[in-house]
Amino acid sequence: MSNRIFLKALLAFGLVILAATLTLEFTIRRTWESAVQSDIERLLVQNVQGFALLVENDHEHSIQQIAMEEARITQTRATVIAADGQVLADSRADPETMENHAHRPEIAAALQGRIGTNSRRSHTVGIEFLYVAAPSGDKVVRLAYPLATVRAHVGEVRQTLLRAAALGLALALLLAVIVAQTIASRLKRIVRFAEQIAEGNLSARIDERGGDEIAQVAMALDRTARRL
């Protein structure tokens, strides 16, 4: 009987712990993943603004040289576009072979004086990018960050959270085993005491102290035995 009590208590504790762990893991993971992507976008915005200032003020290097150096430093794809949408420089492709970019969402926003962002697959290199563009005088500059890298960062976050959740679940289950074993042992003593009284052994006593419900049941049974 004590084994059944122990298993039931352990199962109840385990279900509660599992539900709480899954809820926290899902909530925290979504928040953390969103924070990672927001941090990457914020960093891209800062970098593209610096890129815009560099293109506008650096008169010693060619636009292509500036784009190549920016791409190397920021680990992104750097592009410079004229006001009519013609690509002037690109760190990954030959600008002369690239189509007009005036209607790209991020470029259109930058041509209107705003920071433009967009995510899509590149027609030129066939890779999914997160694009951020900014106005730069009479030009537009753009940085593109591979979405595969973003997903890799998010995957690392997910693995970290899963490991933390698994560790927390294991520790909580260990504590649940100890608590369930303690409860089962106390209930077993009460059952054995009640059986002794039922068999006519009115001299049986149980020493259970505490203020919880189990202790109150034990003390009530003990008072009954003493009166009998």
Side-chain angles (χ1 to χ4, degrees), residues 63-122:
I63 294 178
Q64 183 64 33
Q65 288 176 327
I66 297 173
M68 294 297 292
E69 182 65 14
E70 182 70 19
R72 185 188 67 81
I73 294 173
T74 61
Q75 297 296 302
T76 59
R77 177 187 176 191
T79 310
V80 181
I81 303 99
D84 61 358
Q86 179 185 355
V87 178
L88 301 176
D90 189 271
S91 61
R92 292 272 190 102
D94 182 1
E96 296 182 0
T97 64
M98 298 173 65
E99 60 189 23
N100 191 284
H101 278 39
H103 299 293
R104 299 288 198 275
E106 71 282 0
I107 303 300
L111 287 173
Q112 296 176 8
R114 307 192 309 271
I115 298 293
T117 61
N118 190 247
S119 299
R120 65 176 183 279
R121 182 179 295 276
S122 169

Side-chain angles (χ1 to χ4, degrees), residues 5-91:
I5 294 173
F6 169 74
L7 291 176
K8 289 179 180 179
L10 181 59
L11 179 61
F13 286 136
L15 289 176
V16 172
I17 292 169
L18 181 60
T21 301
L22 290 177
T23 300
L24 288 174
E25 192 276 335
F26 179 77
T27 304
I28 295 174
R29 179 171 60 83
R30 291 287 297 273
T31 303
W32 201 348
E33 288 177 1
S34 177
V36 168
Q37 185 154 346
S38 296
D39 287 343
I40 292 174
E41 290 183 8
R42 185 163 52 251
L43 180 60
L44 276 178
V45 169
Q46 293 174 355
N47 287 338
V48 82
Q49 289 173 331
F51 184 27
L53 290 174
L54 191 62
V55 168
E56 190 173 1
N57 297 298
D58 188 343
H59 304 296
E60 297 181 3
H61 302 88
S62 69
I63 294 178
Q64 183 64 33
Q65 288 176 327
I66 297 173
M68 294 297 292
E69 182 65 14
E70 182 70 19
R72 185 188 67 81
I73 294 173
T74 61
Q75 297 296 302
T76 59
R77 177 187 176 191
T79 310
V80 181
I81 303 99
D84 61 358
Q86 179 185 355
V87 178
L88 301 176
D90 189 271
S91 61

Side-chain angles (χ1 to χ4, degrees), residues 167-183:
L167 178 61
L169 180 61
L171 293 175
L173 285 176
L174 177 61
L175 180 60
V177 168
I178 296 173
V179 173
Q181 183 64 51
T182 302
I183 293 175

